[in-house]
Amino acid sequence: MTYVKLSTYFSLAIVVVAQFGCYKEGLIRGSNELLLNGSLLKGPLANASITVSDINHLTVWQGQSNELAQFESQFSVHENSLFHIKIDVLDNTTMVCDAAECFDRNGNLIANYQEVVPASELTGLRLSHLSSSNTERNSLQVNALTTLVYDQLVNQLQDGVNQNGVDSASLQASRLVLTALNLSEDDINLLDSTLSQVEKVNESSDQTMTTLSLVNASIAENITLLTPLSSAISQFVSEPDNHQVQDTLSDLKTSVMASAVKLAQSGLVKGVPATVEESLFEAQINAIDFESLQKQSTELQMQIQAANAAASLTGATGANG
């Protein structure tokens, strides 16, 4: 049996951060046993539901974060098998606002920075990550940006894709997402990046990670923003010449970046370099390079096809059963 210890951080697409607590029960199927530990990044997300499922979306483990927002899981999947991690809101789930202000779908203020947001205000919140049973990483973080990457890969990578194939595809999907957000952070795999809680950002923090952490936190300003943003990126991939799709994506990008600029300039987050503020402002006011975005989309499909072809040639299987 292969044992892999994963220290996982999940960051919400919306208002919070949480660290998951020990989970008591799990469904164990397959042959590769993994230990998955973790926390949510973005203000504590307590009492949230956590589901790990296999390539076929069959549950292999299900748990819940504790009041300290921490969790620990154990489950089994086959070699070269992908698995999904999803977070759902329960009746007693709470989150902490990670933006300067957090609003509901009607534009009503529901929390200021670092204030608690109750489950009643979290309808529609979703958070996702895709990983492999063969990962050698000892930590994972799930956040708004990993959710955007996940949505570009889910159901496209086939059973049996090896770790190199997963890494190549997720790196290219990250390039696609960052280009859609008007950010030029090249060669950053968002599924393999650890962002900071914004209250812990300081002058010595890596500027690229600071930029991404602020963007991730800013999505909390509107709890319903993540899904339409993800859909707009996917629609562009399908219809790159559709000007209405381009306009929708541009508007959503501008909204996210305006929130990030607001947070960076609020004084709530200490030690944000002027260069980070400038890059966020430029991302807000400048138009998306749709020609470059289309190239990134084409390259992503090539990476996915190559990964799937390699899986087919090796005859590897990750299916549980």
Side-chain angles (χ1 to χ4, degrees):
M1 242 181 225
T2 301
Y3 291 88
V4 180
K5 181 112 175 169
L6 303 177
S7 183
T8 307
Y9 295 80
F10 298 103
S11 162
L12 285 198
I14 164 177
V15 294
V16 313
V17 121
Q19 303 172 336
F20 286 111
C22 291
Y23 202 49
K24 300 175 183 176
E25 298 178 1
L27 304 175
I28 298 181
R29 313 178 323 117
S31 59
N32 235 33
E33 185 175 354
L34 286 83
L35 300 176
L36 181 64
N37 304 315
S39 62
L40 271 169
L41 173 67
K42 205 190 273 197
L45 177 62
N47 305 313
S49 173
I50 309 158
T51 302
V52 180
S53 59
D54 65 13
I55 186 68
N56 298 313
H57 298 281
L58 299 175
T59 299
V60 295
W61 186 86
Q62 194 168 27
Q64 182 177 327
S65 64
N66 64 14
E67 293 184 356
L68 297 177
Q70 299 174 335
F71 83 97
E72 182 178 288
S73 67
Q74 182 175 345
F75 57 92
S76 294
V77 287
H78 284 279
E79 184 180 6
N80 289 335
S81 181
L82 300 179
F83 61 89
H84 312 262
I85 305 167
K86 294 194 175 183
I87 311 304
D88 292 304
V89 175
L90 301 173
D91 290 343
N92 60 338
T93 300
T94 59
M95 295 194 304
V96 176
C97 179
D98 209 28
E101 298 173 308
C102 291
F103 300 88
D104 64 16
R105 65 183 69 244
N106 297 317
N108 300 312
L109 179 67
I110 56 177
N112 292 303
Y113 180 72
Q114 295 299 297
E115 290 181 347
V116 174
V117 180
S120 59
E121 301 290 353
L122 302 179
T123 304
L125 174 66
R126 68 184 187 86
L127 181 66
S128 308
H129 195 288
L130 185 71
S131 191
S132 167
S133 61
N134 288 350
T135 183
E136 294 182 358
R137 295 173 295 193
N138 59 11
S139 65
L140 287 174
Q141 185 184 87
V142 182
N143 52 53
L145 301 181
T146 64
T147 302
L148 294 174
V149 171
Y150 172 90
D151 288 348
Q152 297 306 312
L153 297 175
V154 66
N155 297 330
Q156 294 200 64
L157 289 175
Q158 295 176 359
D159 197 17
V161 173
N162 63 28
Q163 187 65 48
N164 288 337
V166 175
D167 289 343
S168 296
S170 58
L171 174 60
Q172 185 56 40
S174 298
R175 293 184 182 124
L176 173 69
V177 167
L178 292 173
T179 301
L181 292 173
N182 247 10
L183 297 172
S184 58
E185 321 298 344
D186 294 335
D187 294 329
I188 293 178
N189 186 341
L190 293 173
L191 294 186
D192 195 22
S193 297
T194 301
L195 308 184
S196 299
Q197 297 184 34
V198 287
E199 67 269 24
K200 295 183 179 180
V201 168
N202 56 60
E203 294 179 355
S204 63
S205 301
D206 179 86
Q207 291 197 18
T208 295
M209 290 298 104
T210 295
T211 300
L212 295 177
S213 297
L214 290 168
V215 171
N216 178 68
S218 72
I219 294 178
E221 182 160 319
N222 181 342
I223 66 173
T224 62
L225 183 63
L226 184 65
T227 295
L229 176 60
S230 182
S231 296
I233 296 173
S234 297
Q235 287 178 323
F236 176 84
V237 170
S238 301
E239 304 176 75
D241 297 320
N242 187 320
H243 293 293
Q244 184 175 355
V245 171
Q246 292 181 9
D247 289 344
T248 298
L249 180 54
S250 293
D251 290 343
L252 290 167
K253 177 274 300 179
T254 299
S255 179
V256 170
M257 290 306 160
S259 296
V261 171
K262 176 181 175 181
L263 180 59
Q265 295 179 343
S266 67
L268 296 168
V269 181
K270 308 300 181 182
V272 177
T275 51
V276 169
E277 289 189 27
E278 291 169 4
S279 66
L280 292 171
F281 181 68
E282 289 177 0
Q284 175 190 344
I285 64 173
N286 292 336
I288 298 172
D289 185 343
F290 286 109
E291 182 177 350
S292 175
L293 188 61
Q294 185 171 1
K295 290 179 180 178
Q296 300 289 6
S297 174
T298 300
E299 180 61 28
L300 174 59
Q301 295 308 309
M302 292 175 62
Q303 292 281 1
I304 291 173
Q305 291 172 10
N308 289 339
S312 298
L313 285 174
T314 60
T317 178
N320 289 320

